[in-house]
C-alpha cells in the first residue's frame, strides 16, 4: 500500500472514531461527572430514553471531555441512583450497576435495558415528559410516541390521525389501569 492510501485510510478511521464518539453519547451512552441528586432530570432523561430505545449505559465519574473524575462514595451513589430511578421513572425499568476502577478512581456504569412496557416517563416537575435516544434527540416526538405504543407489550390499535397528546393520554390511562 502506498503512503497516499495509507494516509487516506487513517483519515477515514479518525473520522469514523470522531463520528462514533459524537453520535454514541446520545444514542448508546451518556457521561456524567457526578450523580446530581438535586437535579435528577439531568440524568433521568437518559435513563428513560435508553429504556424507550435500544438500551444504553450511563457512566458516572467521567466528564464530557473524557477526564476520569471518579466518585467520592460509589456505594452511596449507587443507592441514591436506585432510589431516585424507582421514584422518578415510570414504569419500573430494568438496569444493572457495576463499578470500574480507572487510574485509582471509581466509575459507576449503569446499563439500562430496552424496555418492554414503553413509553417510560420521567415523573418530575409536575409533567410526564417522554425521552428518546433513538432519534438522536432527548425529547420524544410524535413518531417516537407512536413507535413506543406499537412496540409495547399490550400493542393497542393506533388511530391513523391520533395526536401526541392522545397517545400519551391513552398510554397513561392504560398504565394506570395495570396498577
Amino acid at each position: 500500500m502506498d503512503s497516499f492510501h495509507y494516509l487516506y485510510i487513517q483519515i477515514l478511521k479518525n473520522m469514523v472514531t470522531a463520528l462514533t464518539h459524537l453520535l454514541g453519547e446520545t444514542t448508546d451512552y451518556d457521561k456524567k461527572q457526578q450523580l446530581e441528586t438535586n437535579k435528577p432530570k439531568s440524568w433521568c432523561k437518559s435513563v428513560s430514553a435508553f429504556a424507550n430505545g435500544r438500551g444504553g449505559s450511563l457512566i458516572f465519574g467521567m466528564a464530557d471531555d473524557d477526564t476520569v473524575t471518579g466518585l467520592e462514595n460509589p456505594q452511596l451513589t449507587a443507592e441514591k441512583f436506585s432510589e431516585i430511578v424507582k421514584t422518578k421513572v415510570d414504569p419500573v425499568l430494568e438496569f444493572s450497576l457495576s463499578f470500574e476502577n480507572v487510574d485509582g478512581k471509581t466509575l459507576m456504569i449503569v446499563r439500562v435495558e430496552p424496555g418492554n412496557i414503553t413509553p417510560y416517563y420521567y415523573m418530575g416537575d409536575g409533567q410526564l415528559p417522554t425521552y428518546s435516544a433513538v432519534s438522536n434527540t432527548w425529547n420524544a416526538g410524535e413518531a417516537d410516541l407512536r413507535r413506543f405504543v406499537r412496540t409495547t407489550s399490550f400493542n393497542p390499535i393506533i388511530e391513523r390521525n391520533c395526536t401526541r397528546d392522545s397517545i400519551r393520554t391513552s398510554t397513561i390511562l392504560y398504565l394506570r389501569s395495570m396498577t
Side-chain angles (χ1 to χ4, degrees), residues 74-167:
Q75 190 61 42
L76 180 63
T77 301
E79 291 170 11
K80 289 288 186 188
F81 176 89
S82 295
E83 176 186 318
I84 292 171
V85 165
K86 289 174 184 172
T87 59
K88 295 287 185 184
V89 178
D90 189 49
V92 175
L93 53 86
E94 290 184 46
F95 65 89
S96 59
L97 296 167
S98 63
F99 300 100
E100 291 292 327
N101 195 332
V102 178
D103 299 328
K105 297 176 183 173
T106 304
L107 298 174
M108 182 175 79
I109 315 293
V110 179
R111 172 71 190 153
V112 179
E113 298 302 324
N116 58 5
I117 311 174
T118 58
Y120 291 82
Y121 297 94
Y122 166 70
M123 299 185 309
D125 309 329
Q127 299 177 6
L128 288 175
T130 305
Y131 297 97
S132 171
V134 174
S135 59
N136 287 335
T137 179
W138 288 118
N139 290 317
E142 186 173 336
D144 292 314
L145 292 173
R146 287 174 190 254
R147 181 181 50 77
F148 297 156
V149 174
R150 281 189 189 119
T151 59
T152 193
S153 59
F154 67 90
N155 199 13
I157 298 170
I158 304 297
E159 294 179 19
R160 190 163 198 210
N161 295 320
C162 61
T163 66
R164 180 180 186 164
D165 289 335
S166 68
I167 293 171

Side-chain angles (χ1 to χ4, degrees), residues 9-24:
I9 289 171
Q10 294 305 313
I11 291 171
L12 285 176
K13 284 181 181 178
N14 289 341
M15 288 173 59
V16 168
T17 301
L19 286 173
T20 301
H21 176 73
L22 288 173
L23 293 176

